[in-house]
Amino acid sequence: KKASIGVTGLAVMGRNLARNLARHGHTVALHNRSEQRTRDLVEQFGSEGEFVPAYSAQEFVDSLERPRQVVIMVKAGAPTDAVIEEFAPLLEKGDVIVDAGNAHFADTRRREADLRERGLHFVGTGVSGGEEGALHGPSIMPGGSRESYESLGPLLEDISAKVDGTPCCAHIGPDGAGHFVKMVHNGIEYADMQLIAESFDLLRGAAGYEPAQIAEVFRTWNTGRLDSYLIEITAQVLAHTDAATGKPFVDVVADQAEQKGTGRWTVQIGLDLGVPISGIAEATFARSLSGHAGLRAAARGLAGPSRAKLTGADAERFADDVEQALYASKVVAYAQGFNQIQAGSTEYGWDIDLGQIATIWRDGCIIRAKFLDDIRAAYASETELPTLLTAGLFRKAVEDAQDAWRSVVSTATRLGIPAPGFATSLAYYDGLRAERLPAALIQGQRDYFGAHTYRRVDREGSFHTEWAKDDRPEHPA
Ligand code: NDP
């Protein structure tokens, strides 16, 4: 029997995707550079469905129905190019190569253009949800041609997570659109994690809550509007006690956050596109700061404020204030991320449906949350929404939260507890709503030292002031 789809690259992600496909009744061809992984999969999980193991590229290709659909799930970067070059020459016009790894969208655009010339479809696909997601239903973000989605889409939708029967998978847009959206997903994930981490740090540092108590606070939050996978697992991590020492687990972990690079890409592309994704950037820099052990050791003795922690009723109320600050900052992070997707879509002509992105992030992925359904609804009622902050529901919630938000940021500042995510999100909110920004002064400075010219509020055109002359005459530039 021929397979309807094949997976090459059977490490944890590829293996689980292949099992997920087989469990849904699809016959799956299997291939991996080192044969042992293929043998292991068939040996351990062969009973879960129909697998067709292949031990050479040719055998793998021959085992597939046409149009052939080859899912590559190997290390991103050069290994992906190597595997594409291994299979592309063996495929025929109309066949589909799917890269489900974490590729940079620019690489995906390059590969897609190259393979399109050779008559093949190339689908760069974002997959989120980690290894458990891959097995039980991830959120899937496929790019590539519309035509490729006709054969591939039904299979991917079948194995994706579902919300009330709606798959967490949809065709995102041409060439690199899928990987771009996955990249921004990860950027938002960085911001969300940072904000949650700051909430923990503030509850402990400003109000004296213990990790186990904070776990309880998070559990309560998880029953409300913050209901999300990240809050849920945070409660579990905080409630965990280290077996060896009996201390809270969080206290025995080295406080240096690592990263695999998708947050960094998001920030780099944000800069390229000129989108102010300050929350995501701050979260990425916060990880980077945490990792600078030497720098931190050198600076540890610097003086901080001598202020007393919150006590009594203030400490009790603080958890509620932090919940509001977290919610408002989270709206900002998502607003920025969605604006970045919008900007990418415009720049590359992808025509991405933002409401659809929120729809497929509602389950399966790491940022899955009740919140995403509100974002879906916001875009459903206003497709040209300039920012989530002005959507009815979010506008009201953030306006209601702003006093608490400001109070939390000022408490953090007073006590010398770093809360860069909260602070930058609030600054973004205030920056957007400001009547006038000091950018006017910056334009004056630029014109002074570099004759960069400026526009006026009351007249059309560009102007330059001759700052070196005593009477500083102004003339059109
Ligand atoms: P790894 O990223 O650890 O990659 C290992 C796989 O790549 C193995 O099958 C390995 O083959 C193969 N490989 C590496 N180099 C080559 C090469 N030059 N030629 C052929 N095959 C090669 O595996 P993961 O399963 O963790 O991740 C797969 C992809 O999915 C990555 O792009 C990752 O970024 C992405 N991803 C991972 C997530 C996760 O939670 N882990 C979540 C979402 C996406 P061999 O067995 O022969 O060494």
Side-chain angles (χ1 to χ4, degrees):
K1 187 176 176 189
K2 291 224 171 188
S4 43
I5 192 163
V7 179
T8 181
L10 300 174
V12 49
M13 289 297 287
R15 180 181 67 207
N16 282 357
L17 266 191
R19 291 173 61 197
N20 188 350
L21 282 159
R23 287 172 169 195
H24 280 84
H26 307 290
T27 304
V28 188
L30 303 174
H31 178 265
N32 192 70
R33 176 177 63 180
S34 38
E35 296 185 3
Q36 197 53 41
R37 284 200 205 267
T38 313
R39 293 189 203 290
D40 288 350
L41 200 168
V42 175
E43 207 166 282
Q44 293 173 45
F45 308 106
S47 61
E48 291 183 355
E50 292 200 66
F51 295 108
V52 184
Y55 298 97
S56 74
Q58 189 64 56
E59 194 188 339
F60 180 68
V61 166
D62 289 342
S63 69
L64 293 165
E65 275 169 11
R66 297 217 50 206
R68 297 185 186 88
Q69 311 196 97
V70 175
V71 178
I72 300 175
M73 203 38 153
V74 303
K75 254 190 207 339
T80 302
D81 282 313
V83 174
I84 291 172
E85 276 323 307
E86 188 181 357
F87 288 97
L90 308 178
L91 297 174
E92 294 169 89
K93 203 167 164 29
D95 287 350
V96 185
I97 297 180
V98 183
D99 173 17
N102 263 338
H104 191 291
F105 81 97
D107 285 336
T108 302
R109 282 168 59 77
R110 168 178 59 77
R111 291 167 181 148
E112 197 274 340
D114 174 47
L115 291 167
R116 181 158 22 97
E117 286 220 329
R118 295 154 73 177
L120 301 175
H121 293 286
F122 182 71
V123 179
T125 297
V127 178
S128 178
E131 46 183 292
E132 283 300 299
L135 183 60
H136 300 292
S139 174
I140 311 181
M141 296 150 251
S145 64
R146 263 263 149 234
E147 197 188 338
S148 64
Y149 196 77
E150 280 168 26
S151 55
L152 185 64
L155 281 166
L156 297 183
E157 291 183 10
D158 202 21
I159 62 162
S160 73
K162 312 277 183 309
V163 175
D164 303 329
T166 303
C168 292
C169 170
H171 182 239
I172 306 292
D175 59 80
H179 274 138
F180 186 94
V181 166
K182 170 70 200 302
M183 173 189 78
V184 177
H185 165 285
N186 286 26
I188 293 174
E189 175 186 308
Y190 274 50
D192 214 337
M193 291 168 71
Q194 173 67 22
L195 294 169
I196 292 172
E198 288 176 20
S199 302
F200 154 74
D201 204 33
L202 282 164
L203 286 170
R204 195 178 202 183
Y209 290 59
E210 292 304 325
Q213 289 174 293
I214 302 173
E216 274 312 312
V217 170
F218 278 99
R219 250 180 233 128
T220 313
W221 289 354
N222 204 38
T223 61
R225 60 185 176 171
L226 286 170
D227 179 347
S228 64
Y229 173 71
L230 283 171
I231 294 278
E232 178 192 327
I233 65 164
T234 302
Q236 294 193 23
V237 172
L238 287 175
H240 183 53
T241 303
D242 176 52
T245 59
K247 290 184 183 166
F249 167 79
V250 71
D251 287 343
V252 301
V253 178
D255 62 346
Q256 298 182 22
E258 297 177 11
Q259 48 182 316
K260 288 214 260 175
T262 41
R264 184 177 70 235
W265 290 348
T266 314
V267 180
Q268 287 169 338
I269 303 305
L271 290 170
D272 289 345
L273 292 171
V275 191
I277 46 163
S278 47
I280 297 170
E282 197 58 75
T284 310
F285 284 129
R287 286 197 192 189
S288 155
L289 184 150
S290 77
H292 279 279
L295 185 58
R296 290 174 59 194
R300 193 150 290 137
L302 293 174
S306 48
R307 305 267 183 168
K309 285 184 183 179
L310 305 176
T311 50
D314 287 342
E316 266 167 46
R317 210 198 42 234
F318 192 59
D320 184 51
D321 285 354
V322 173
E323 192 270 349
Q324 305 207 51
L326 175 55
Y327 184 83
S329 302
K330 189 169 150 138
V331 174
V332 166
Y334 282 72
Q336 293 180 346
F338 275 80
N339 280 0
Q340 183 171 11
I341 294 174
Q342 178 65 67
S345 178
T346 303
E347 173 75 16
Y348 298 105
W350 287 327
D351 197 21
I352 295 177
D353 176 345
L354 297 178
Q356 190 177 59
I357 302 302
T359 304
I360 66 170
W361 285 351
R362 287 181 302 171
D363 204 359
C365 62
I366 303 300
I367 62 171
R368 60 185 181 258
K370 208 166 121 182
F371 187 74
L372 266 315
D373 201 44
D374 297 333
I375 298 181
R376 182 200 57 74
Y379 282 110
S381 62
E382 200 183 333
T383 45
E384 299 295 313
L385 195 59
T387 165
L388 285 173
L389 284 163
T390 59
L393 171 86
F394 293 121
R395 173 185 204 124
K396 166 124 189 19
V398 170
E399 285 173 351
D400 288 350
Q402 67 158 323
D403 286 345
W405 195 8
R406 294 180 193 287
S407 148
V408 168
V409 170
S410 81
T411 299
T413 311
R414 265 194 311 110
L415 295 177
I417 299 168
F422 284 165
T424 200
S425 308
L426 181 55
Y428 178 83
Y429 176 76
D430 284 334
L432 281 192
R433 54 170 210 89
E435 195 70 46
R436 292 271 301 158
L437 288 170
L441 178 56
I442 289 172
Q443 283 300 83
Q445 293 163 334
R446 294 179 70 247
D447 189 61
Y448 192 113
F449 66 67
H452 292 304
T453 77
Y454 50 88
R455 285 177 296 114
R456 296 182 55 101
V457 295
D458 54 355
R459 271 181 277 151
E460 287 293 310
S462 300
F463 297 88
H464 171 56
T465 295
E466 294 192 41
W467 297 96
K469 295 192 179 153
D470 285 342
D471 58 345
R472 314 219 149 152
E474 176 187 83
H475 53 74

